[in-house]
Amino acid sequence: MLLCIDCGNTNTVFSIWDGERFLCTLRTSTHHSRTADAYFTWFSTLIKHYGIETDITEVIISSTVPRVVFNLRVFADRFFNCRPLVVGRPECLLPHPPRVDAGTQVGPDRLVNTAAAFDRHGGDIIVVDFGTATTFDVVAADGAYVGGVIAPGVNLSLEALHMAAAALPHVDIAKPQKVVGTNTVACIQSGVFWGYVGLVKEICVRIRGERDREMKIIATGGLAPLFQQSEDLFDRFEDDLTMHGLTVIHAYNKEQGTL
């Protein structure tokens, strides 16, 4: 079985792939100081709780937090006796290498989302990922990542507003009943919600215009369904897009004989 690990700035997700489907998905907060032993204690406890019998023989990792990768590699080596494939490292081949400015280092999560979106939908796609940052990844007709856009994430914007303005409370993001708020919480929710709806719509319109073609918009990330409630911003929402991309990249490397 394959263990897929996606480490983001906020959360780290573990999914077990049996070759046909994901048996389970586990989530923990990302901490660079967490040791391999701590990962295994947490992981094995939850697996036992859910009654899942696993025989993990392979591991693939995507991490936007470089300091976490070492302990995850030790975790894979010590407890599953395998050398993990790490997206972004030279030994990890991509089905379609990115076409960006020389010397540019593309985030592993963006490469993984690109591979997943192309595998499922073909090319000419915009992937909108609502994570710590809100990212827009442009997938060319041949499946290559050719650039994108990075904006502050929704929760990051809310936290910054609360931190910078002492009189403003911290609020949870939600779709407001109307645009004009009649209390402070409603005003903040309206500004963030409709502001991000406008951001997503305008950026996607401009990407399509610059590329001069129709492009599907695929969304992922926990807040995507909330924004989809507004007015069909996306052609499709896929909560397992990143994990699927990890299986695609792992399978490609096996085909190429690098594993």
Side-chain angles (χ1 to χ4, degrees):
M1 290 184 183
L2 171 66
L3 176 60
C4 300
I5 304 175
D6 173 39
C7 177
N9 291 293
T10 304
N11 293 313
T12 301
V13 182
F14 293 67
S15 288
I16 300 172
W17 174 254
D18 69 356
E20 296 182 356
R21 64 189 179 95
F22 288 110
L23 299 181
C24 71
T25 296
L26 311 174
R27 186 181 301 266
T28 185
S29 56
T30 298
H31 291 294
H32 65 82
S33 59
R34 183 169 287 149
T35 64
D37 291 347
Y39 277 118
F40 184 72
T41 299
W42 166 82
F43 180 79
S44 59
T45 300
L46 282 181
I47 291 298
K48 183 178 180 180
H49 173 76
Y50 287 116
I52 298 173
E53 295 184 6
T54 63
D55 182 21
I56 294 170
T57 57
E58 298 173 295
V59 178
I60 182 169
I61 300 169
S62 169
S63 177
T64 59
V65 187
R67 295 174 67 184
V68 174
V69 174
F70 174 77
N71 284 331
L72 288 174
R73 293 182 71 138
V74 174
F75 165 74
D77 178 64
R78 180 177 298 168
F79 298 105
F80 303 116
N81 194 31
C82 70
R83 180 182 180 185
L85 184 66
V86 181
V87 179
R89 296 292 175 89
E91 63 271 18
C92 179
L93 303 180
L94 298 172
H96 307 278
R99 293 197 296 273
V100 292
D101 295 343
T104 299
Q105 194 167 23
V106 182
D109 55 332
R110 309 184 81 175
L111 298 173
V112 172
N113 285 347
T114 295
F118 183 74
D119 182 70
R120 285 180 169 173
H121 305 286
D124 289 330
I125 291 175
I126 303 169
V127 179
V128 185
D129 188 351
F130 289 87
T132 304
T134 300
T135 60
F136 299 75
D137 302 324
V138 180
V139 185
D142 63 355
Y145 170 86
V146 292
V149 177
I150 301 175
V154 178
N155 288 319
L156 189 63
S157 295
L158 279 168
E159 190 64 29
L161 186 63
H162 172 62
M163 295 286 289
L168 295 180
H170 177 77
V171 302
D172 293 326
I173 183 63
K175 181 181 179 181
Q177 295 182 349
K178 52 186 179 179
V179 176
V180 179
T182 53
N183 58 69
T184 303
V185 170
C187 289
I188 294 173
Q189 287 179 332
S190 182
V192 172
F193 182 86
W194 293 112
Y196 271 85
V197 168
L199 179 144
V200 171
K201 290 178 67 175
E202 183 67 15
I203 288 179
C204 288
V205 165
R206 289 184 175 272
I207 290 174
R208 283 169 164 167
E210 191 170 281
R211 301 285 295 173
D212 193 25
R213 67 193 67 190
E214 279 299 312
M215 304 183 75
K216 289 182 180 178
I217 302 174
I218 308 300
T220 191
L223 289 176
L226 173 66
F227 287 96
Q228 182 71 338
Q229 293 177 23
S230 62
E231 45 194 270
D232 295 329
L233 285 177
F234 320 116
D235 293 299
R236 188 160 181 175
F237 163 69
E238 298 185 3
D239 62 349
D240 67 340
L241 189 70
T242 303
M243 287 300 166
H244 177 68
L246 287 172
T247 68
V248 170
I249 292 174
H250 184 269
Y252 180 74
N253 278 265
K254 291 198 78 169
E255 290 172 3
Q256 299 300 310
T258 59
L259 293 176

